[in-house]
Amino acid sequence: MTDEREDLDALLGSPGWQRFTQMAEKLWGSAEGGGERFVAQMTAVAKEDDATAMPKMRQIIAAQREIQALMRWAPERLETLKRTAVKPDSDGVATGSRRGGL
């Protein structure tokens, strides 16, 4: 059985993950904005002339933010795991809390 760090490292290094992230950014944009589906939906709603247009825009923006947060999770989690990993001392003994992992 592999640990979470190894699993995430393998996921992020896989060609399938690269294709998936490229597709998500193409449709929903990156942190800088954009995205074909996002722009198309916002454009369609902007052409509406009713009281529901603004709430619809808010929902589309919220969806984009959630998709982007989901896409950031694996790289951010891996970085956290790498930063918090217990590193051995120069004598090869792992240092860390005597209580073990939380």
Side-chain angles (χ1 to χ4, degrees):
M1 188 168 144
T2 60
D3 68 0
E4 183 180 11
R5 184 175 164 184
E6 291 172 348
D7 292 342
L8 289 172
D9 196 41
L11 172 68
L12 294 174
S14 74
W17 177 257
Q18 300 305 315
R19 288 181 186 275
F20 180 71
T21 57
Q22 288 170 357
M23 181 273 311
E25 284 185 11
K26 180 179 178 188
L27 295 176
W28 288 98
S30 64
E32 291 79 38
E36 293 172 2
R37 184 166 290 163
F38 174 75
V39 171
Q41 293 296 319
M42 291 297 279
T43 301
V45 171
K47 292 178 182 177
E48 294 179 11
D49 191 24
D50 63 18
T52 64
M54 188 58 71
K56 287 178 185 177
M57 286 183 166
R58 288 186 182 115
Q59 290 174 344
I60 295 166
I61 292 168
Q64 182 192 42
R65 287 181 182 157
E66 290 302 313
I67 290 166
Q68 290 171 349
L70 180 64
M71 300 306 297
R72 287 190 310 268
W73 176 82
E76 289 175 357
R77 178 66 180 150
L78 180 59
E79 187 60 34
T80 299
L81 291 171
K82 286 179 178 179
R83 273 195 322 269
T84 59
V86 176
K87 296 185 172 73
D89 280 341
S90 59
D91 62 359
V93 177
T95 59
S97 172
R98 293 185 309 186
R99 295 179 9 198
L102 295 178

